[in-house]
Amino acid sequence: MSRILRTVAVLLGFTFLVTLSPAPAASAQEGAAAARVLRYDASRAAEFRGVVDQAARLWNSNVSNVRLVAGTPADFVVYADNGWPRALPTSLGRGTIWIGREATAQGYNHLRIATHEIGHILGLPDRRTGRCSDLMSGSSAPVSCANATPSAAERAEVDSNFAGATPLVEFNELHVDRAADLTPAP
């Protein structure tokens, strides 16, 4: 009988301690559970693979409604080629990106290019403001611009897109932001 009483006492003591303990705080991962996860495949991005991963981490640290993770099957694929950087978003979070060596050869920042092109996949259009502080200003900002962080307005727009707003980017349209396209015709 004393063994049964000891077991009951231990169980009651444990129950008492559990009810007094504060509830565990929600982890950051639980908070991110509401975010839409997009998988990307940068295996064909050649020398830009690492910079694409870095751009994905940059977006992940700046928005809360979407998470970019490397993996397949992919929602968007990133290629390297000898042309100008461009993106073909087919729907929100889906499409194709080309990191073109033409722009990097001219001195444009690799990380800014990758983050900018992912911005199209996340629903952001080109804005061509010429300001380095605007990621989506693209090549209208000086070649020396190395800012790869989306502005507060761009971050809010991406979070809004993934919360149900209608994205401003045009889907099924190739987005090419060539510096040459910004020069007025003679």
Side-chain angles (χ1 to χ4, degrees):
M1 184 72 162
S2 70
R3 194 162 116 181
I4 292 174
L5 288 175
R6 267 187 287 177
T7 302
V8 169
V10 167
L11 287 174
L12 285 173
F14 179 74
T15 304
F16 178 75
L17 287 175
V18 168
T19 58
L20 288 180
S21 299
S27 72
Q29 192 169 9
E30 288 172 17
R36 180 168 159 199
V37 174
L38 299 179
R39 287 181 309 276
Y40 66 92
D41 179 0
S43 66
R44 291 163 266 193
E47 71 270 25
F48 304 114
R49 184 177 187 158
V51 83
V52 171
D53 293 335
Q54 191 177 355
R57 286 190 302 271
L58 205 153
W59 275 111
N60 288 343
S61 68
N62 280 281
V63 296
S64 57
N65 286 346
V66 64
R67 282 285 150 250
L68 305 176
V69 296
T72 56
D75 295 296
F76 66 95
V77 179
V78 184
Y79 295 93
D81 73 2
N82 293 326
W84 194 262
R86 59 207 178 278
L88 178 65
T90 54
S91 64
L92 185 61
R94 296 183 177 276
T96 305
I97 293 172
W98 294 267
I99 308 292
R101 293 180 185 101
E102 188 176 341
T104 61
Q106 290 182 25
Y108 286 95
N109 182 275
H110 298 67
L111 180 57
R112 180 174 170 86
I113 291 170
T115 309
H116 171 94
E117 299 305 335
I118 291 173
H120 290 309
I121 300 297
L122 301 178
L124 300 177
D126 284 316
R127 296 239 159 70
R128 295 188 174 98
T129 64
R131 292 189 303 259
C132 186
S133 59
D134 295 334
L135 176 65
M136 298 313 290
S137 69
S139 65
S140 72
V143 174
S144 61
C145 176
N147 173 44
T149 303
S151 69
E154 292 163 334
R155 294 189 303 265
E157 187 175 346
V158 167
D159 276 332
S160 180
N161 289 344
F162 284 90
T166 301
L168 297 177
V169 74
E170 300 221 10
F171 294 119
N172 298 308
E173 178 181 306
L174 192 61
H175 296 269
V176 183
D177 184 26
R178 285 186 64 105
D181 294 341
L182 303 173
T183 312

PDB file of all heavy atoms in Angstrom, residues 36 54 59-60 73 132 134 141-142 152 155 163 168 184:
ATOM      1  N   ARG A  36       4.469  30.898 -46.484  1.00  0.00           N
ATOM      2  CA  ARG A  36       4.423  30.008 -47.650  1.00  0.00           C
ATOM      3  C   ARG A  36       5.857  29.637 -48.016  1.00  0.00           C
ATOM      4  O   ARG A  36       6.722  30.503 -48.136  1.00  0.00           O
ATOM      5  CB  ARG A  36       3.732  30.702 -48.821  1.00  0.00           C
ATOM      6  CG  ARG A  36       3.666  29.825 -50.049  1.00  0.00           C
ATOM      7  CD  ARG A  36       2.745  30.408 -51.081  1.00  0.00           C
ATOM      8  NE  ARG A  36       3.057  29.866 -52.380  1.00  0.00           N
ATOM      9  CZ  ARG A  36       2.705  30.408 -53.520  1.00  0.00           C
ATOM     10  NH1 ARG A  36       1.988  31.522 -53.511  1.00  0.00           N
ATOM     11  NH2 ARG A  36       3.024  29.868 -54.654  1.00  0.00           N
ATOM     12  N   GLN A  54      22.539  33.015 -51.045  1.00  0.00           N
ATOM     13  CA  GLN A  54      22.690  34.197 -50.193  1.00  0.00           C
ATOM     14  C   GLN A  54      21.497  35.146 -50.386  1.00  0.00           C
ATOM     15  O   GLN A  54      20.971  35.703 -49.410  1.00  0.00           O
ATOM     16  CB  GLN A  54      24.004  34.903 -50.534  1.00  0.00           C
ATOM     17  CG  GLN A  54      24.411  35.969 -49.567  1.00  0.00           C
ATOM     18  CD  GLN A  54      25.764  36.581 -49.929  1.00  0.00           C
ATOM     19  OE1 GLN A  54      26.450  36.164 -50.854  1.00  0.00           O
ATOM     20  NE2 GLN A  54      26.142  37.590 -49.186  1.00  0.00           N
ATOM     21  N   TRP A  59      16.251  37.492 -48.471  1.00  0.00           N
ATOM     22  CA  TRP A  59      14.785  37.636 -48.489  1.00  0.00           C
ATOM     23  C   TRP A  59      14.178  37.035 -47.226  1.00  0.00           C
ATOM     24  O   TRP A  59      13.282  37.625 -46.617  1.00  0.00           O
ATOM     25  CB  TRP A  59      14.184  36.979 -49.738  1.00  0.00           C
ATOM     26  CG  TRP A  59      14.202  37.892 -50.924  1.00  0.00           C
ATOM     27  CD1 TRP A  59      14.964  37.776 -52.055  1.00  0.00           C
ATOM     28  CD2 TRP A  59      13.423  39.083 -51.097  1.00  0.00           C
ATOM     29  NE1 TRP A  59      14.706  38.823 -52.903  1.00  0.00           N
ATOM     30  CE2 TRP A  59      13.761  39.642 -52.341  1.00  0.00           C
ATOM     31  CE3 TRP A  59      12.473  39.741 -50.309  1.00  0.00           C
ATOM     32  CZ2 TRP A  59      13.180  40.818 -52.824  1.00  0.00           C
ATOM     33  CZ3 TRP A  59      11.902  40.902 -50.790  1.00  0.00           C
ATOM     34  CH2 TRP A  59      12.257  41.431 -52.032  1.00  0.00           C
ATOM     35  N   ASN A  60      14.653  35.857 -46.818  1.00  0.00           N
ATOM     36  CA  ASN A  60      14.101  35.205 -45.624  1.00  0.00           C
ATOM     37  C   ASN A  60      14.267  36.054 -44.372  1.00  0.00           C
ATOM     38  O   ASN A  60      13.424  36.025 -43.481  1.00  0.00           O
ATOM     39  CB  ASN A  60      14.753  33.836 -45.407  1.00  0.00           C
ATOM     40  CG  ASN A  60      14.286  32.810 -46.421  1.00  0.00           C
ATOM     41  OD1 ASN A  60      13.272  32.987 -47.086  1.00  0.00           O
ATOM     42  ND2 ASN A  60      15.038  31.736 -46.555  1.00  0.00           N
ATOM     43  N   PRO A  73      10.911  19.150 -55.952  1.00  0.00           N
ATOM     44  CA  PRO A  73      10.610  19.926 -57.148  1.00  0.00           C
ATOM     45  C   PRO A  73      10.551  21.410 -56.800  1.00  0.00           C
ATOM     46  O   PRO A  73      10.084  21.793 -55.723  1.00  0.00           O
ATOM     47  CB  PRO A  73       9.247  19.407 -57.613  1.00  0.00           C
ATOM     48  CG  PRO A  73       8.621  18.822 -56.383  1.00  0.00           C
ATOM     49  CD  PRO A  73       9.746  18.362 -55.505  1.00  0.00           C
ATOM     50  N   CYS A 132      19.736  53.711 -55.353  1.00  0.00           N
ATOM     51  CA  CYS A 132      20.403  52.494 -54.878  1.00  0.00           C
ATOM     52  C   CYS A 132      19.624  51.859 -53.732  1.00  0.00           C
ATOM     53  O   CYS A 132      19.652  50.652 -53.552  1.00  0.00           O
ATOM     54  CB  CYS A 132      21.829  52.835 -54.456  1.00  0.00           C
ATOM     55  SG  CYS A 132      22.816  51.403 -53.997  1.00  0.00           S
ATOM     56  N   ASP A 134      16.535  51.416 -53.503  1.00  0.00           N
ATOM     57  CA  ASP A 134      15.410  50.625 -54.024  1.00  0.00           C
ATOM     58  C   ASP A 134      15.961  49.430 -54.778  1.00  0.00           C
ATOM     59  O   ASP A 134      16.545  49.578 -55.858  1.00  0.00           O
ATOM     60  CB  ASP A 134      14.541  51.461 -54.974  1.00  0.00           C
ATOM     61  CG  ASP A 134      13.855  52.622 -54.283  1.00  0.00           C
ATOM     62  OD1 ASP A 134      13.623  52.529 -53.058  1.00  0.00           O
ATOM     63  OD2 ASP A 134      13.556  53.610 -54.967  1.00  0.00           O
ATOM     64  N   ALA A 141      19.930  52.182 -61.098  1.00  0.00           N
ATOM     65  CA  ALA A 141      20.851  52.631 -60.046  1.00  0.00           C
ATOM     66  C   ALA A 141      22.273  52.531 -60.604  1.00  0.00           C
ATOM     67  O   ALA A 141      22.520  51.779 -61.548  1.00  0.00           O
ATOM     68  CB  ALA A 141      20.704  51.760 -58.802  1.00  0.00           C
ATOM     69  N   PRO A 142      23.210  53.268 -60.060  1.00  0.00           N
ATOM     70  CA  PRO A 142      24.591  53.231 -60.583  1.00  0.00           C
ATOM     71  C   PRO A 142      25.192  51.823 -60.516  1.00  0.00           C
ATOM     72  O   PRO A 142      24.834  51.022 -59.648  1.00  0.00           O
ATOM     73  CB  PRO A 142      25.348  54.173 -59.651  1.00  0.00           C
ATOM     74  CG  PRO A 142      24.316  54.993 -58.965  1.00  0.00           C
ATOM     75  CD  PRO A 142      23.063  54.184 -58.938  1.00  0.00           C
ATOM     76  N   ALA A 152      11.950  49.004 -47.147  1.00  0.00           N
ATOM     77  CA  ALA A 152      10.800  48.717 -46.282  1.00  0.00           C
ATOM     78  C   ALA A 152       9.531  48.577 -47.116  1.00  0.00           C
ATOM     79  O   ALA A 152       8.708  47.686 -46.870  1.00  0.00           O
ATOM     80  CB  ALA A 152      10.636  49.822 -45.240  1.00  0.00           C
ATOM     81  N   ARG A 155       9.666  45.199 -48.940  1.00  0.00           N
ATOM     82  CA  ARG A 155       9.411  44.098 -47.986  1.00  0.00           C
ATOM     83  C   ARG A 155       7.919  44.004 -47.670  1.00  0.00           C
ATOM     84  O   ARG A 155       7.338  42.916 -47.672  1.00  0.00           O
ATOM     85  CB  ARG A 155      10.219  44.317 -46.700  1.00  0.00           C
ATOM     86  CG  ARG A 155      11.714  44.215 -46.903  1.00  0.00           C
ATOM     87  CD  ARG A 155      12.495  44.224 -45.595  1.00  0.00           C
ATOM     88  NE  ARG A 155      12.277  45.371 -44.739  1.00  0.00           N
ATOM     89  CZ  ARG A 155      13.041  46.455 -44.709  1.00  0.00           C
ATOM     90  NH1 ARG A 155      14.072  46.560 -45.528  1.00  0.00           N
ATOM     91  NH2 ARG A 155      12.790  47.434 -43.867  1.00  0.00           N
ATOM     92  N   ALA A 163       0.069  37.514 -48.495  1.00  0.00           N
ATOM     93  CA  ALA A 163      -1.083  37.540 -47.584  1.00  0.00           C
ATOM     94  C   ALA A 163      -2.385  37.647 -48.383  1.00  0.00           C
ATOM     95  O   ALA A 163      -3.452  37.760 -47.807  1.00  0.00           O
ATOM     96  CB  ALA A 163      -0.963  38.706 -46.613  1.00  0.00           C
ATOM     97  N   LEU A 168       1.793  43.342 -58.267  1.00  0.00           N
ATOM     98  CA  LEU A 168       1.874  44.318 -59.348  1.00  0.00           C
ATOM     99  C   LEU A 168       2.707  43.835 -60.531  1.00  0.00           C
ATOM    100  O   LEU A 168       2.615  44.395 -61.616  1.00  0.00           O
ATOM    101  CB  LEU A 168       2.445  45.636 -58.821  1.00  0.00           C
ATOM    102  CG  LEU A 168       1.592  46.327 -57.753  1.00  0.00           C
ATOM    103  CD1 LEU A 168       2.286  47.588 -57.244  1.00  0.00           C
ATOM    104  CD2 LEU A 168       0.209  46.651 -58.300  1.00  0.00           C
ATOM    105  N   PRO A 184      17.818  57.225 -73.522  1.00  0.00           N
ATOM    106  CA  PRO A 184      16.866  57.744 -74.508  1.00  0.00           C
ATOM    107  C   PRO A 184      17.408  57.618 -75.928  1.00  0.00           C
ATOM    108  O   PRO A 184      18.613  57.741 -76.154  1.00  0.00           O
ATOM    109  CB  PRO A 184      16.709  59.216 -74.125  1.00  0.00           C
ATOM    110  CG  PRO A 184      17.622  59.477 -72.982  1.00  0.00           C
ATOM    111  CD  PRO A 184      18.321  58.207 -72.620  1.00  0.00           C
TER     112      PRO A 184
END
